[in-house]
Amino acid sequence: MTRFLTCIICLPLAFALAEPSFAQTAVPGLRGSDDPGRANAADEDGREEAETRAGVNPAQSNVFALRPSVNIAEEEDGSTGLGAAGRVQPVRPFSDRITAVTRAVPLAQGGIDDTVFGGDTTFDAPDGIRLGSFILTPQLTVTTGYTDNTSRSATGGAGSLYRIAPDISLTSDWVRHQFDASLRGSYIGYPGNSDDDDIFGSAAAGLRLDITEATRVDADISYGISREEDGSAESLGNDTFIHEGNIDLGVTRNVGLLAATAAVGADRRVYDSDSTIESGRDNTVYSASLRLGSNAGGLLSPFAQGSLLFRRFDQTCSDSICEIRDADGYELRGGLAIAAGPKLVGEVSAGWRLEDIEDSRLKNLSGLVIDGSLVWSPSRLTTVTAGVGTSFDATDIDNASGSIIYSGDLRLAHAFSDRWVGEAGLGYSYRTYEGVSIEENTLTGFGGMTYALTQNVALTANYIHRRFESSQDGGDYTENAIEAGLRFRH
């Protein structure tokens, strides 16, 4: 518990102290980040009055009116399969996918408007606390429950659990430019086996500067900590915490029907273990990218993106046979931004990534890259999101060049009223290692309900099923967990 509280306190300092680092996915997404735009208040009032006269349930017709503006620090690009493969991470909020799609396809280009259900109750929509030109929105969720596998391993036993999950967001209220920050944490305690306690934390900030009508600067920074799963091929058999840091800086210029974005970034991972064996996986990936896309609007807008990659390890010899794993490489992608009004919005892309490893004994780490986020709104009360993602991870397993993780998820949220919301989701991750015969599969199912008791307190309940299968003996496990508790927000 002390370690968790220390991490949460230190997270805000990561923005100032963390060295350049990047989540080593398929390179930073070079996407537009215009304001999502909000419906005119007078038009909303007129529409609600007309719907009331027409006999529409007023509570349901106004379910979405109080959805907060997009916080660009909370977006979820692509997919991690409802939980990153090999790591213990909570399911992200439903709205994070909507945020990513809104940023990729702004309202002015046919993106999401306020008629799209955001996946949360609105009776207790947070007012936030005004701090000058910013809005601070605090939230705390406290739950208790039961799991049949406290350690998420083949030898894990059953036990009770409790979770403490703070969530704080800061959003600018500027006419021009935008700055957002987000701080999230989760501590899961197992009273019957404290050795299995889990911590997770993330901090992120995003800044958009509108230099001119045609030129924009985007800067993003993030830090995260999570525990590595015991069943992973990388696990040393004890607690290993993965620290991830990311910095992106990009400039976008609109020239006629063409939009060009140039960006640089760094993605760092550090593996902190209680083992006396020092990890050889600590590394940083530096990248330089250029994206060219259509600025003409329309249902489908094509784009192409190219990136140069440079992976550098902290240790020259990162395993028992002293394999030098530093690599140079590239990534090429092409895709489409989809803007079919609020009914179907998103971005999908596919391409190829290659990392040429310095040591000739190791094969190049290369493979297909697929990335995408979609939001479909079949009705004002129902929203469906889908995502696919690809990430390339380092390793220090002898003769292995690294691993490639393909993930996907499908989620549905429905508002039974402004107080009562239900959600269900299914996620899958496939991890394969280059150079050795190791494969890992993770299937995750999720279902939850939220009911707003007051304008500040909501009752939450959820069920999660996880199934992990590994080609290595002794790694398979399943977990079933159920939790219920209260969410407080202002």
Side-chain angles (χ1 to χ4, degrees):
M1 182 69 173
T2 302
R3 190 171 191 174
F4 168 71
L5 294 175
T6 302
C7 290
I8 292 300
I9 294 173
C10 293
L11 282 175
L13 299 178
F15 299 130
L17 300 179
E19 63 178 291
S21 41
F22 270 61
Q24 292 159 23
T25 58
V27 173
L30 306 180
R31 302 216 264 232
S33 93
D34 296 319
D35 287 330
R38 299 187 60 82
N40 181 276
D43 293 341
E44 286 291 321
D45 292 341
R47 181 178 64 190
E48 291 163 14
E49 182 179 353
E51 290 174 338
T52 301
R53 289 197 303 267
V56 178
N57 184 331
Q60 290 191 349
S61 66
N62 193 38
V63 162
F64 322 99
L66 297 178
R67 199 179 77 206
S69 300
V70 163
N71 184 317
I72 61 178
E74 298 178 342
E75 67 177 282
E76 180 183 15
D77 293 333
S79 173
T80 58
L82 299 185
R87 283 173 285 166
V88 181
Q89 292 188 351
V91 176
R92 295 186 62 156
F94 189 87
S95 59
D96 285 5
R97 174 70 48 72
I98 296 180
T99 299
V101 170
T102 303
R103 191 177 183 186
V105 186
L107 180 62
Q109 299 177 16
I112 297 171
D113 62 24
D114 284 343
T115 65
V116 175
F117 174 46
D120 199 1
T121 53
T122 55
F123 181 83
D124 61 337
D127 297 323
I129 302 169
R130 178 165 288 279
L131 301 175
S133 60
F134 293 88
I135 301 296
L136 179 70
T137 307
Q139 176 177 297
L140 175 66
T141 303
V142 180
T143 61
T144 185
Y146 176 86
T147 177
D148 60 5
N149 194 335
T150 60
S151 64
R152 291 188 181 179
S153 68
T155 58
S160 60
L161 65 89
Y162 64 89
R163 183 193 301 266
I164 303 173
D167 187 333
I168 301 173
S169 66
L170 183 70
T171 304
S172 64
D173 189 22
W174 302 339
V175 175
R176 188 178 182 184
H177 313 306
Q178 182 179 1
F179 175 83
D180 293 324
S182 174
L183 177 65
R184 291 174 176 169
S186 176
Y187 177 84
I188 305 178
Y190 300 98
N193 192 348
S194 60
D195 291 340
D196 293 334
D197 291 357
D198 286 329
I199 66 170
F200 167 81
S202 67
L207 174 65
R208 189 200 71 230
L209 298 175
D210 300 317
I211 307 302
T212 68
E213 291 185 358
T215 305
R216 184 186 72 248
V217 174
D218 293 291
D220 298 280
I221 184 171
S222 65
Y223 166 78
I225 179 174
S226 57
R227 185 175 67 84
E228 189 166 51
E229 284 191 313
D230 292 341
S232 169
E234 307 285 357
S235 175
L236 297 176
N238 51 20
D239 284 346
T240 297
F241 290 91
I242 305 174
H243 302 264
E244 301 177 71
N246 176 282
I247 295 177
D248 284 309
L249 179 63
V251 179
T252 299
R253 174 76 176 177
N254 295 326
V255 183
L257 300 179
L258 184 68
T261 301
V264 294
D267 178 357
R268 179 162 177 78
R269 288 187 182 174
V270 174
Y271 299 82
D272 177 20
S273 174
D274 294 335
S275 172
T276 56
I277 302 175
E278 187 176 0
S279 173
R281 290 182 284 167
D282 298 354
N283 74 98
T284 305
V285 175
Y286 304 94
S287 63
S289 307
L290 177 64
R291 167 170 166 157
L292 299 176
S294 171
N295 194 37
L299 177 63
L300 300 176
S301 299
F303 68 87
Q305 178 176 316
S307 305
L308 296 177
L309 308 170
F310 310 92
R311 187 187 294 271
R312 297 294 180 264
F313 285 80
D314 291 5
Q315 296 185 41
T316 303
C317 297
S318 61
D319 56 29
S320 62
I321 56 177
C322 196
E323 293 170 319
I324 302 174
R325 299 177 177 274
D326 289 353
D328 298 335
Y330 66 84
E331 179 180 304
L332 299 175
R333 282 196 291 158
L336 294 170
I338 303 169
K343 292 297 183 181
L344 181 62
V345 182
E347 182 176 284
V348 292
S349 65
W352 188 263
R353 171 165 168 158
L354 180 144
E355 294 185 25
D356 184 5
I357 300 176
E358 182 176 339
D359 198 312
S360 59
R361 292 173 292 177
L362 296 174
K363 296 181 179 179
N364 292 336
L365 181 61
S366 61
L368 179 67
V369 174
I370 306 174
D371 184 80
S373 293
L374 294 172
V375 172
W376 175 44
S377 176
S379 75
R380 287 176 58 89
L381 299 177
T382 304
T383 300
V384 179
T385 72
V388 291
T390 308
S391 62
F392 287 65
D393 280 4
T395 186
D396 57 359
I397 297 175
D398 290 351
N399 301 313
S401 305
S403 64
I404 305 175
I405 303 172
Y406 296 100
S407 302
D409 69 83
L410 182 68
R411 299 174 68 175
L412 178 149
H414 178 76
F416 299 97
S417 71
D418 59 345
R419 285 177 178 257
W420 184 20
V421 168
E423 181 187 346
L426 185 67
Y428 175 75
S429 293
Y430 169 73
R431 184 175 193 172
T432 179
Y433 284 79
E434 183 67 50
V436 295
S437 297
I438 300 177
E439 295 182 348
E440 297 174 350
N441 298 271
T442 305
L443 178 68
T444 304
F446 169 82
M449 303 289 287
T450 301
Y451 183 82
L453 299 173
T454 72
Q455 292 186 330
N456 299 104
V457 182
L459 176 66
T460 69
N462 64 72
Y463 165 76
I464 294 178
H465 171 79
R466 291 187 179 88
R467 182 177 298 274
F468 177 83
E469 296 181 354
S470 173
S471 59
Q472 292 188 305
D473 294 337
D476 297 358
Y477 76 85
T478 61
E479 180 198 15
N480 295 278
I482 186 169
E483 297 179 49
L486 297 174
R487 180 186 68 190
F488 307 89
R489 59 187 184 185
H490 185 279

